[in-house]
């Protein structure tokens, strides 16, 4: 019932937002921790995986017909990780931290140094707060840290990606 609906909503969310992929392990962790029973767990996992599997089949069929788009951010993330090796993740981490603190900092406050400092403190504060909240609210803590990791090691710096982590990160800071 409600567990299958929750799993389905997680799967649909993942189809629309790459960062929502952290919800998949979160749901699996919740199933493991709450132990709702074999049948409800299987139904929830099936509800989670079915939309993702259908999308994968459909997407592969689209690609087989020809390129969907030639934009680099339209390709699967595995292509840039495999092409760049593990070192690309560290390069992206540094480049994205720099971009997000400088660019977003300029939007937060003037002078830019003040705004960048505020953004750096907020990002660091979210990670520290996640450590403190891990026992009390593991889903929120791991969700925020997982989203930040995906945003920071991702191949593209876009302020909209960071902005989507701020509401849950703000809850951690309260």
């Amino acid at each position: 019932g409600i567990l299958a609906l929750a799993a389905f909503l997680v799967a649909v969310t993942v189809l629309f937002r790459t960062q929502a992929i952290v919800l998949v392990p979160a749901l699996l962790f919740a199933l493991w921790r709450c132990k709702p029973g074999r049948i409800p767990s299987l139904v929830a996992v099936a509800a989670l995986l079915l939309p993702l599997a259908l999308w994968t089949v459909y997407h592969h069929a689209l690609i087989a017909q020809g390129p969907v788009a030639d934009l680099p951010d339209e390709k699967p993330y595995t292509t840039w990780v495999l092409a760049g090796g593990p070192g690309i993740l560290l390069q992206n981490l540094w480049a994205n931290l720099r971009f997000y603190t400088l660019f977003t900092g300029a939007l937060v406050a003037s002078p830019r140094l003040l705004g960048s400092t505020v953004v750096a403190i907020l990002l660091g504060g979210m990670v520290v707060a996640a450590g403190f909240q891990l026992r009390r609210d593991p889903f929120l803590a791991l969700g925020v840290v997982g989203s930040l990791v995906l945003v920071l090691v991702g191949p593209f710096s876009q302020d909209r990606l960071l902005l989507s982590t701020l509401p849950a990160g703000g809850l951690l800071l309260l």
Side-chain angles (χ1 to χ4, degrees):
I2 192 76
L3 193 58
L5 179 60
F8 179 75
L9 290 175
V10 165
V12 171
T13 303
V14 170
L15 291 176
F16 290 98
R17 286 268 159 261
T18 302
Q19 287 169 265
I21 196 78
V22 299
L23 295 175
V24 172
L27 181 71
L28 296 175
F29 179 74
L31 289 172
W32 172 77
R33 189 166 180 193
C34 297
K35 298 177 183 18
R38 175 170 274 152
I39 298 298
S41 293
L42 288 173
V43 169
V45 169
L48 171 68
L49 295 179
L50 183 63
L52 300 174
L54 291 174
W55 169 252
T56 301
V57 169
Y58 175 70
H59 191 246
H60 283 299
L62 284 177
I63 290 173
Q65 294 175 2
V68 179
D70 58 356
L71 300 171
D73 63 344
E74 295 292 327
K75 296 179 181 163
Y77 284 169
T78 52
T79 57
W80 59 264
V81 172
L82 295 175
I88 195 73
L89 298 176
L90 290 176
Q91 286 176 331
N92 290 349
L93 175 67
W94 174 248
N96 286 333
L97 274 173
R98 193 164 181 270
F99 172 82
Y100 289 126
T101 53
L102 293 176
F103 178 79
T104 309
L107 299 174
V108 170
S110 182
R112 179 179 277 191
L113 178 61
L114 174 63
S116 296
T117 303
V118 168
V119 170
I121 289 170
L122 286 173
L123 290 176
M126 284 186 223
V127 173
V128 170
F132 283 111
Q133 295 289 344
L134 191 57
R135 281 186 175 257
R136 193 178 75 157
D137 198 345
F139 301 114
L140 179 61
L142 294 173
V144 169
V145 170
S147 292
L148 281 175
V149 167
L150 286 173
V151 167
L152 293 175
V153 300
F156 307 103
S157 302
Q158 298 173 351
D159 58 330
R160 67 184 177 87
L161 298 176
L162 180 65
L163 291 174
S164 66
T165 65
L166 296 181
L171 287 175
L172 278 176
L173 293 171
L174 292 177

